[in-house]
Amino acid sequence: MKAETDNNGKKYLFSKSLDTVFLAVNNVFKFIGLIFKEAFTAPFEWKEIINQCFNVGFKSLPLVSLTGFIIGIVFTKQSRPSLSTFGASSWLPSLISIAIIRALAPLVTALIAAGKVGSNIGAELGSMKVTEQIDAMEVSATNPFKYLVVTRVMATTFMMPVLVLYSGLVGMLGSFMNIHQNEQTSFAAFIKNAFSTISFLDINSSIFKAVCYGFTIGVAGCYQGYYAENGTQGVGKAANTAVVVAMFLIFIEEMIIVQFVNSIR
């Protein structure tokens, strides 16, 4: 009798947790649907969109520049011994360009943005939620969802491709400086060898990745912050969850997009 009761309790808990998961997924899809609806409905908050683009893009440049430059140097240093073993050091620029443009620049930049931008959005909206500033905006006849959520999601979606392209160029610059120091390769020769193996598909796929990553970061940060609760503890939880969820989804999207691009390459 006791074993039967325990089994019924486990089934109940499993069913309850499953219902919670489906309810959360349903809420997320409703949230995304509302974003698309408000994004194409007047009036448009152009001033706030530009302000958020500045916060997402320009304020992230120092960190993205440093990270991209270091990635270019480190990956070049790590790849040189392996290629030198086979006498293929001349292929180093091509290898670096493929690695940075196809994978490293989009993925690393997105992870940096998830940590910096995603946590900032989650904490900012979370603090506004728990201090009832969002409710005050509704009372003052302002659409808080359009002003706070849609503008931030559009900013992350628009600025992530710019940051990815910038990170790729900075990474290539770091790689060139390392190769020039060791092999005395000219800048013209480096550019010729680096971009001889890069196609428009590689660039377009990186931009597509960046758009998906930016949208994911914006949605994760805004969703967690917009529905934060439990005071200051909820603000910290919203910022932390936004980063974890965004990074998790970025890795899943990376795997799916790579499989799709390789199937049409």
Side-chain angles (χ1 to χ4, degrees):
M1 189 72 178
K2 184 178 180 181
E4 184 178 352
T5 303
D6 292 342
N7 289 334
N8 290 335
K10 290 179 180 179
K11 290 180 181 179
Y12 173 76
L13 291 175
F14 177 76
S15 176
K16 187 176 180 180
S17 61
L18 197 61
D19 292 342
T20 304
V21 171
F22 282 119
L23 182 61
V25 172
N26 179 65
N27 291 336
V28 170
F29 277 104
K30 284 184 177 179
F31 188 81
I32 295 175
L34 188 57
I35 289 175
F36 281 105
K37 177 184 176 182
E38 294 291 346
F40 296 100
T41 304
F44 303 104
E45 302 288 348
W46 295 114
K47 185 176 180 180
E48 182 63 15
I49 291 174
I50 295 173
N51 180 48
Q52 292 302 321
C53 287
F54 176 81
N55 292 333
V56 173
F58 184 79
K59 290 187 177 180
S60 299
L61 286 181
L63 185 58
V64 172
S65 300
L66 179 62
T67 307
F69 189 75
I70 292 175
I71 287 175
I73 293 177
V74 171
F75 192 77
T76 304
K77 284 181 174 292
Q78 294 290 339
S79 303
R80 179 178 287 105
S82 300
L83 292 179
S84 298
T85 303
F86 300 98
S89 298
S90 60
W91 286 94
L92 195 55
S94 300
L95 174 65
I96 298 302
S97 63
I98 291 174
I100 290 179
I101 300 300
R102 288 185 184 179
L104 290 178
L107 186 59
V108 173
T109 306
L111 294 178
I112 292 172
K116 182 182 183 301
V117 178
S119 61
N120 183 54
I121 292 176
E124 185 179 11
L125 295 189
S127 63
M128 296 180 69
K129 178 67 175 180
V130 299
T131 56
E132 300 181 352
Q133 295 182 47
I134 294 179
D135 297 333
M137 293 178 66
E138 293 179 349
V139 173
S140 61
T142 302
N143 187 342
F145 192 89
K146 180 185 288 288
Y147 187 82
L148 298 176
V149 175
V150 176
T151 55
R152 284 164 173 78
V153 173
M154 293 180 68
T156 55
T157 305
F158 292 157
M159 295 310 298
M160 192 56 58
V162 178
L163 291 176
V164 166
L165 293 176
Y166 175 76
S167 176
L169 292 176
V170 173
M172 296 294 290
L173 178 62
S175 175
F176 164 72
M177 292 182 65
N178 185 266
I179 292 176
H180 178 73
Q181 182 181 7
N182 289 273
E183 281 89 14
Q184 302 301 316
T185 303
S186 66
F187 184 74
F190 174 82
I191 293 298
K192 181 180 179 180
N193 293 331
F195 287 95
S196 61
T197 54
I198 296 297
S199 63
F200 282 106
L201 179 61
D202 298 324
I203 299 175
N204 292 333
S205 63
S206 295
I207 295 176
F208 179 71
K209 286 181 184 179
V211 171
C212 294
Y213 297 160
F215 183 79
T216 300
I217 293 169
V219 170
C222 290
Y223 182 83
Q224 296 298 328
Y226 199 77
Y227 295 109
E229 52 187 14
N230 298 330
T232 55
Q233 183 179 359
V235 175
K237 183 179 179 181
N240 180 67
T241 307
V243 175
V244 174
V245 170
M247 288 185 174
F248 177 74
L249 293 177
I250 284 170
F251 282 116
I252 293 178
E253 291 171 355
E254 171 74 14
M255 180 179 63
I256 295 174
I257 295 174
V258 167
Q259 292 293 331
F260 174 74
V261 172
N262 288 339
S263 66
I264 63 175
R265 190 179 299 279

